[in-house]
Amino acid sequence: MKRYLFALCLAAAAAAFACVNLSDSGGQRVLVVAPVLDSVFVGDTLLPRAVFLEDGAGNHLDPGPFQWSINPTSVATVDASGRIAGKGKGAALVVATRPDSVASGAVVIVSRQLEMTLLLDTLFLMPNDTITVPLAIVQKTPAVTTLRFDSSATPSVYTIDTTGPTAGRLTAHGAGGPVRYVAHLTNGTDSIADTGAVVVVSLTDTSEDGKFYMTAFGTGIRHQSGGAFALHYPKRNGKLAFRLVDSLTRNAAKDSVLITLRDSILAAGTFEIDSLNPRETAVVGPLDPYCNPKRSWGVWSSWPLDITLPPILAYSHGTPSDSVAGHVIITQYVTPPVGGGAIISGRYLFRARRLDLYGDPLGAETIRGTFVVPLRLGNICNF
């Protein structure tokens, strides 16, 4: 279950390097390495990155002499010309450094010839929930693959279909965990395995804390869990809207996923997550997306505890042909024996666009999560 979480730090470092300013009588210039993100298979090579000075008008100028370096060299190496060779699975930062110590960098992701990524390596479920373990398979040379899973070590917590067309279909039974699950993949030549975890949560009333696990894939990467809850809250018209809040403070940042649905939830079901333009978040009054949402939306945010560092804000974002960015699925809606409200479980998946890279394809993020949370009645708006 090894996760290359440092890829986010590398992307942030590359962006920070690229923003170094060189100022003289010729005006402001920025040292740039492009592209800032690229990928390669183990055993393959990439051509040298472009390196240039960019002035305020967007012109590319001679950067002067510089030297290449890369870290970690267990993932990739770089020669004096800048050619990059993939060595092992992971992410590496390639840096161009001038004699005056001004530097700029780019991120290189290295994949094996056969690669399997667990898209949700921890699953939070309620008893009787079912889910097929989400994963992605990448091959350098397309071939038929066979996927299988180990049987559950604790079948009282969960069971799983191990082979065949339903391999990876998991059923939660009783509270407990984390209990490991193991996925195996082969294409007849190469074989790989990865492990995740299942946690089955059974809440008895809405005063208890909920749990979530989420992942973000893009230039910002996250694999993490924390506390969660859901609210029904009054809108400006007096009707109820729904909000799911997943949040934690860890690794020197406060991260959260916020999903707002236009209407209340009264039963299990699938609900669309629409697009939200960042400009809409500053609107107050009748078009306020928080207290009077006209459609459903989601956002992932990561706020560094160091206020000198920039945050990541990624708003739900559809495609040019479809404004629907994703869905939140409520798999169970249970009335607890005490405390009122409800206990709900489910999962979400939506596309998002980073605010700092809103017009750039590198700003695309995919946000996933599972949750078991209390659904309470609250008030977030003051009218």
Side-chain angles (χ1 to χ4, degrees), residues 193-208:
D194 206 349
T195 62
V198 177
V199 181
V200 180
V201 179
S202 183
L203 303 180
T204 57
D205 68 73
T206 56
S207 66
E208 296 181 90

Side-chain angles (χ1 to χ4, degrees), residues 24-79:
D24 56 19
S25 58
Q28 187 182 68
R29 294 172 294 169
V30 179
L31 182 64
V32 176
V33 173
V36 72
L37 180 66
D38 207 346
S39 61
V40 66
F41 285 101
V42 172
D44 288 350
T45 60
L46 291 173
L47 294 174
R49 313 292 84 187
V51 181
F52 52 85
L53 293 175
E54 185 173 277
D55 64 18
N59 299 312
H60 294 180
L61 310 174
D62 185 350
F66 61 87
Q67 289 187 327
W68 289 108
S69 62
I70 199 166
N71 187 56
T73 54
S74 59
V75 172
T77 58
V78 64
D79 64 19

Side-chain angles (χ1 to χ4, degrees), residues 172-220:
H173 297 295
V179 178
R180 188 174 72 161
Y181 72 81
V182 184
H184 303 266
L185 183 70
T186 182
N187 60 7
T189 302
D190 300 305
S191 298
I192 56 176
D194 206 349
T195 62
V198 177
V199 181
V200 180
V201 179
S202 183
L203 303 180
T204 57
D205 68 73
T206 56
S207 66
E208 296 181 90
D209 294 330
K211 293 289 187 181
F212 82 95
Y213 189 89
M214 66 81 66
T215 60
F217 286 95
T219 47

